[in-house]
Amino acid sequence: MADVDPTFTDLPLERLADAALQRARDFGASHADFRLERLRSQTVALRDGALEGAHDGEQLGMCVRVIVDGTWGFASTFELTNTAAVRTAEEAVRVAHVSAPVSPERVELAPEPTHRRAVWVSSYDIDPLGVPLDEKVTLLGDWSRDLAAAPAVAHVSAHLEQYVENKFYADLSGTSTTQQRVRLHPELEVYGERDGRIDAMRTIAPPVGRGWEYLTDGRYDWAGELAALPDQLAEKLAAPSVEPGTYDVVIDPTNLWLTIHESIGHATELDRALGYEANFAGTSFATYDQLGTLQYGSPVMHVTGDRTVEHGLSTVGYDDDGVEAQTWDLIRDGVLVGYQLDRAMAGLNGFDRSNGCAFADSPARVPIQRMANVSLQPAADGPDTDGLIADVERGLYIVGDKSWSIDMQRYNFQFTGQRFYRIEDGELRGQVRDAAYQATTTDFWRSMSAVGGPQTWRLCGAFNCGKAQPAQVAAVSHGAPSALFRDVSILNTQAESGR
């Protein structure tokens, strides 16, 4: 387990926080919090084994958020001095005063225990930003050239994103937290052509809250996945176009995570359910008046919000409200039983406590309610994926995510995938192409007849979940087992595009 980087803890964290919070107290703020953040990143891109580009980035700054007369105020700066800390607190107070006449509701934060000088570091072994660039280029280049040697492959792209995030938080209640977390996403994609048709096949290795060891320690089967990629592409290029209709489908977690993200994750954000947030695909059909009664899915559906799972992209020790990370139910036995909350949403709606979903993507941004790791739970004694497939007479097995579309209430949707395999009499019969599955959220989840066991559960996710205006980006993981859905509508995307 790594320690917090001393080049971050050597910064005058507490001195600046004390200066800012004391100034907010002088102005009578009922709540004030201070964050000092450093976000370091690196992206590496290769094309056909040659370095195409590499970029290092760093953001370092501090911000103050206050509640004065029941109204939020916020200000930030990249100048790390006592004078700047005091000035930023004063500016935040002025923002609250200006905002008060147009603020329709008083902010009341849900209570939270005080966490004094808490320290949390995510689970990883090797800081990816400490690995020399030429070592990364050599590894990705070797993988790319091996892929390019396959007859079906015309071109190869390789892309690697890495982040190391440090946050210091302090507030007037006495909470102070210091955190460090790491995330990393390698991705390789091969391209081919057959009979004038161009297609691509991408790795399904998920982004992770792990370090450089993810690519080198052998716990993820990179060799196996990369070796299979050219044959999977060749089979896809030669595959027949899908016959549209109604099928039973077995969905692999490498595809199902995205459906969870769009149709459950965003739909159970309380700010969307209440209509406070509508950017990036709207509000939610899962309105607050349906809490405890909405039959979201079938009785085998159990979905949790979780900010604690090891290697999760949304995993933290404490959120940007100073709330300790938790795990809770969103959907139990198919019924909507919970939402994702920050302290303001929890306080406004009478919840005893926030479940820790506040996050800002930089020191220049105000925290907003963001998604936890939202995951579908496996059945304790559930079958493996082959067992689910064996229970299908005519259907499809779907692997890997690709494109998606969902309406403004998170209700009508369509998803494609990397690979669609025909199932006949309980066995796989090769790939088909041009397929997408379409449903309403509740019809789809109510059609889930079985979920796989823990041996099928896998944590996937994305770095680029967008929300709010000005837009903020967050990384989030979604765990899922393989699952079987009955009578799902399958479209032929080529035929649909010709309409």
Side-chain angles (χ1 to χ4, degrees):
M1 180 74 74
D3 296 322
V4 178
D5 186 342
T7 64
F8 182 73
T9 54
D10 286 347
L11 295 170
L13 306 173
E14 294 188 359
R15 175 167 60 80
L16 295 174
D18 289 346
L21 295 177
Q22 181 56 51
R23 195 58 175 157
R25 184 184 286 111
D26 293 342
F27 279 98
S30 60
H31 168 90
D33 59 55
F34 169 93
R35 281 185 291 120
L36 195 155
E37 296 187 20
R38 184 180 69 182
L39 181 63
R40 294 181 296 142
S41 63
Q42 183 184 68
T43 58
V44 182
L46 284 76
R47 175 75 171 174
D48 295 329
L51 181 63
E52 192 172 54
H55 176 265
D56 293 317
E58 179 171 324
Q59 295 183 55
L60 175 63
M62 62 181 180
C63 58
V64 180
R65 188 175 59 158
V66 300
I67 300 175
V68 177
D69 295 333
T71 304
W72 283 120
F74 175 82
S76 65
T77 180
F78 295 107
E79 180 186 345
L80 303 185
T81 65
N82 272 29
T83 300
V86 169
R87 186 174 65 240
T88 304
E90 292 171 346
E91 186 176 343
V93 170
R94 281 196 295 273
V95 170
H97 285 154
V98 170
S99 302
V102 294
S103 298
E105 296 165 325
R106 290 181 59 85
V107 179
E108 297 286 347
L109 299 183
E112 174 67 16
T114 298
H115 310 288
R116 300 186 186 279
R117 297 195 170 184
V119 177
W120 181 88
V121 179
S122 65
S123 178
Y124 70 96
D125 296 327
I126 302 172
D127 178 351
L129 300 185
V131 177
L133 177 61
D134 60 356
E135 187 173 330
K136 299 169 185 174
V137 173
T138 297
L139 179 64
L140 295 175
D142 289 346
W143 285 356
S144 296
R145 284 184 283 277
D146 288 345
L147 289 168
V153 177
H155 296 286
V156 182
S157 67
H159 189 259
L160 174 64
E161 286 186 78
Q162 309 138 87
Y163 293 89
V164 178
E165 178 185 293
N166 288 106
K167 288 198 182 195
F168 174 79
Y169 170 96
D171 64 31
L172 285 180
S173 75
T175 286
S176 68
T177 64
T178 305
Q179 303 187 81
Q180 177 168 295
R181 61 178 184 152
V182 166
R183 50 189 183 271
L184 179 149
H185 189 194
E187 186 175 88
L188 287 96
E189 190 163 21
V190 293
Y191 306 83
E193 182 273 338
R194 175 171 171 153
D195 300 331
R197 187 173 64 249
I198 297 171
D199 216 323
M201 188 69 69
R202 177 164 45 80
T203 50
I204 57 174
V208 291
R210 293 185 57 192
W212 178 248
E213 70 276 4
Y214 180 47
L215 288 92
T216 59
D217 67 5
R219 280 184 283 184
Y220 187 82
D221 184 17
W222 284 103
E225 178 164 6
L226 293 172
L229 211 55
D231 288 343
Q232 292 167 352
L233 174 64
E235 183 181 358
K236 187 177 183 181
L237 286 166
S241 197
V242 71
E243 179 183 340
T246 301
Y247 292 78
D248 294 342
V249 296
V250 176
I251 305 183
D252 190 84
T254 55
N255 180 277
L256 192 57
W257 76 266
L258 184 56
T259 311
I260 293 169
H261 178 89
E262 300 294 349
S263 70
I264 304 173
H266 281 305
T268 57
E269 295 169 325
L270 185 56
D271 56 351
R272 288 191 192 277
L274 291 171
Y276 287 79
E277 169 64 32
N279 288 296
F280 292 99
T283 56
S284 174
F285 75 96
T287 51
Y288 189 53
D289 59 306
Q290 300 179 87
L291 182 64
T293 61
L294 174 63
Q295 191 68 45
Y296 212 109
S298 75
V300 299
M301 184 183 189
H302 178 202
V303 177
T304 57
D306 185 358
R307 300 214 72 182
T308 68
V309 62
E310 188 176 36
H311 305 311
L313 298 174
S314 184
T315 298
V316 295
Y318 303 85
D319 78 350
D320 289 355
D321 280 346
V323 175
E324 189 171 19
Q326 301 157 45
T327 301
W328 68 99
D329 283 349
L330 291 168
I331 298 168
R332 166 69 74 173
D333 301 329
V335 177
L336 175 70
V337 296
Y339 287 102
Q340 302 164 68
L341 311 167
D342 60 16
R343 288 186 71 182
M345 281 290 111
L348 182 66
N349 294 281
F351 290 87
D352 293 336
R353 186 185 181 194
S354 165
N355 44 41
C357 290
F359 177 76
D361 69 356
S362 89
R365 301 294 193 195
V366 66
I368 57 174
Q369 186 185 299
R370 293 311 300 255
M371 203 181 298
N373 304 301
V374 173
S375 298
L376 176 66
Q377 297 303 307
D381 56 352
D384 60 16
T385 303
D386 288 343
L388 293 170
I389 292 171
D391 199 27
V392 174
E393 182 177 342
R394 173 181 177 272
L396 295 171
Y397 172 49
I398 307 168
V399 181
D401 67 274
K402 197 170 184 183
S403 65
W404 72 97
S405 176
I406 195 163
D407 74 11
M408 294 299 283
Q409 271 67 53
R410 301 279 166 186
Y411 196 60
N412 296 282
F413 65 65
Q414 176 178 310
F415 290 86
T416 64
Q418 290 288 314
R419 287 175 267 146
F420 284 73
Y421 294 91
R422 285 186 301 122
I423 304 172
E424 291 181 3
D425 299 325
E427 295 184 356
L428 298 183
R429 302 292 188 185
Q431 289 190 51
V432 293
R433 58 180 172 82
D434 308 327
Y437 59 99
Q438 180 188 50
T440 67
T441 294
T442 50
D443 283 349
F444 176 77
W445 289 108
R446 290 171 187 172
S447 76
M448 186 169 65
S449 66
V451 293
Q455 71 276 29
T456 73
W457 196 88
R458 186 168 175 176
L459 193 64
C460 301
F463 274 13
N464 59 346
C465 175
K467 188 174 180 181
Q469 289 293 341
Q472 296 194 38
V473 177
V476 60
S477 292
H478 300 288
S482 296
L484 170 59
F485 300 80
R486 300 291 188 186
D487 299 327
V488 176
S489 175
I490 299 295
L491 305 178
N492 183 302
T493 55
Q494 283 287 353
E496 292 292 322
S497 66
R499 288 185 175 181

